[in-house]
């Protein structure tokens, strides 16, 4: 029985409870899960590459088969370099669906050996995403239901920096 | 490393190339894949339980870790009885999405230990489903791009019986 | 200040926690809420008109401004006869949206004085509907998270009758 | 310059103002428009084949290049027999989209020479379809905004027959 | 009977006939309607805060129970400060739906006492929004069907300023 | 029989195989097809107006009734100036649908004489668009399945310029 390697890519700006829910379940299904921070995204992130990696390391440290990494360039090229068999994506809403479908078909065309699988988050985290968390936090809303405690404290620190 | 058991449920009336594409990829990712014919569906199927099982056995015989079975009653109860860790579903179109989302959330509530994962079929089989195949075949259309040759011959035989 | 009268129509076969959530919030916003069991629906209901009314009466008895009724024929004609100003509908998912939009535009054309408003249920009841409850219950699934206790007992009784 | 032949298929049970809007515009764009009543539909229509054809003939008689016909079997086979270059479909709502997309891709696979084109109806007829018209009329609603006067009279006659 | 206070938030850049349709109907259903210009939006508006407020005041002056205001920060915090019971949103299209659903669930989590209700605009204003109006006006299209006459004149003045 | 003139507008930054598929089929159905590069788009294009026109001219040179042009301002005003009867749009996915519907209704209100028709691309080009092509190419992915050879060479040249 071969060990299946999965890549879970994302911006993780910051990691939310919805992401954690998917990481936890992926870690039960696959031999190794590489959570990979995507760096080549157009918009400026709130957290730096190091901050995003550190938050991910902190909140996933009790999962033995989870690794944190980051990447530039094409996702499938990165996944191939890592010998991954699977790309994991979360699907929360219909509006995610078509973009994900497009990327999944494109990635399959580029690297037919790598399958994309989709997991749906817990109903509590449906419709939750990092940009909602950032927006709520920026406007003074309480996001403690949406992110792990460590991320909450980092978010408060970051926003007080930005405001200064 | 534990052996992950996956259940891929469906009506398979009949199995299409889209189903086969998903079975093949699932067999590469999981230790065992149980393809399970759902019997408790309201509408009358075109093929009997035995015929649907036989077609599945025929077209999956070269996958060593694929088993064919059928079930009545609740999918998650069946999956639990089989010690499955994963339920596999194909996602082809937005219109599938919400029903699948509903079932995935419901199943998670009933059996939190079992995850539902989604695979998207090859672009050639997007929008392909068994009822389209039956409808086209019934109206005299050629469905040889959509089903394996063995299923094509069974379909022709069945429709000539029905017409008689 | 005039007393606003609202009609909340549905099949209520049976009433779920999602319906109750909407009834409760509507009772806070409007002077009177008439929960109206629609009788002229094509498919055969599981519960009779009397049973559906009785379950609704039972689970809404502590809301002073909620009445239970039933109707045949066109919803807007019924609403007009009741001097209603508002029709209330629940919106759970994209797949509801277009049908509801169609009905809302049609009803507005037929009775411009009556507005349709939409409420979204609690996230716990997103994707919950009566047919899912009936289906799960029929297959032996536990639906106690989805319906009030009184409805649960009625559902068990009804399904044991049907099975006999 | 060759004369382009278009087929506009449908159940037309009955023809609505939305259909007429599409027929009118198609008649301006193509050399010949064949409005084709689909007979091989599963559900029982309200109007017979003859009645549906007669209503169509009546309401399109002032368009010189419009013909009324009916067909059994596969749409693309019919279109090919008629030497059609184009199949016309109305698109009113997202919920139509995926089915139409599926059929358009399937038809293209079966007959690559025939293109499917989509027209959107006037905003007044968005969300209007024959089954809404039948349902409203059956419940005593006024449908005079939705169908031509001749169809309105036929609908009244038919429903009084059915009620008897 | 308590007086229900409703907040109708938006960018109103500028107010359109679709907004007015919703304001009018809301003013009939609720004791007080506060139309609240959202200031903390990322993109630069065409009209200033004062201009947007003035246009709203001008076009709603005949509704006795409608007030114009603006706000910064979190919508639910503003609504709570205003003792509002209801947040009103317009729903025009499927593409609005998921964002609105997300915000409605989030707002409910933050302030469970405040309900979000949705109204659908007149069919004539389906698919109409402020950015379409601005875009059409900018390209020289005629938008007199889409905005009140006072807004039309303000829009012309503004665009001639911008062009200068 | 009058000669029908069709306008096919787009950014064409760059033209893809999906666009070509639509141009080819449109050229069979209409007397003249004007492929019109839209210049008044907010975001900065990758290719200049001249480059986009040249690529279009190169890849459509064997279609006798296809012309390449560009335009500023309102699409329907341009179409009217060109005496066009039809505007052609490609529809690839549900997420296109609502925007296209909005534009189609708006254009019809502004110029009732001009019809918008929709064509769906070959299944191979579903979900393909210019921004996906640019993004893939920028990240070093191979896009030779998605664009004509001439465009592929232009894209490589352009990206090496940009990188310098």
């Amino acid at each position: 029985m071969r060990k299946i390697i999965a890549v879970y890519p994302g911006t993780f700006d910051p990691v939310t409870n919805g992401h954690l829910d998917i990481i936890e379940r992926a870690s039960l299904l696959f031999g190794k899960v590489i959570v990979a921070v995507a760096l080549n995204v157009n918009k400026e992130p709130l957290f730096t590459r190091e901050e995003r990696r550190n938050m991910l390391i902190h909140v996933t440290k009790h999962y033995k088969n989870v690794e944190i990494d980051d990447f530039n360039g094409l996702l499938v090229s990165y996944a191939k370099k890592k010998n991954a068999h699977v790309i994991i994506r979360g699907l929360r809403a219909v509006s995610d669906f078509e973009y994900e479908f497009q990327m999944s078909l494109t990635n399959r065309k580029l690297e037919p050996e790598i399958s994309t699988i989709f997991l749906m988050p817990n109903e509590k985290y449906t419709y939750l995403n990092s940009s909602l968390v950032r927006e709520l936090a920026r406007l003074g809303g309480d996001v403690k239901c949406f992110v792990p405690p460590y991320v909450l404290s980092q978010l408060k620190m970051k926003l007080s920096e930005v405001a200064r």
Side-chain angles (χ1 to χ4, degrees), chain A residues 65-113:
Chain A
N65 59 341
V66 173
E67 282 179 27
I68 309 303
D69 194 13
D70 56 44
F71 72 104
N72 256 306
L74 214 54
L75 170 60
V76 284
S77 309
Y78 169 76
K80 197 179 178 188
K81 207 183 68 193
K82 289 286 175 177
N83 299 312
H85 309 88
V86 173
I87 291 167
I88 295 171
R89 299 290 293 163
L91 259 193
R92 292 156 309 136
V94 171
S95 47
D96 289 349
F97 181 82
E98 293 206 322
Y99 175 76
E100 293 295 338
F101 206 3
Q102 181 189 44
M103 290 316 300
S104 151
L105 293 178
T106 305
N107 288 339
R108 186 170 178 170
K109 200 162 238 162
L110 298 170
E111 291 293 341
E113 300 300 298

Side-chain angles (χ1 to χ4, degrees), chain A residues 54-72:
Chain A
N54 286 344
M55 285 186 281
L56 278 165
I57 289 167
H58 195 280
V59 300
T60 64
K61 64 187 170 213
H62 50 296
Y63 302 117
K64 295 227 171 86
N65 59 341
V66 173
E67 282 179 27
I68 309 303
D69 194 13
D70 56 44
F71 72 104
N72 256 306

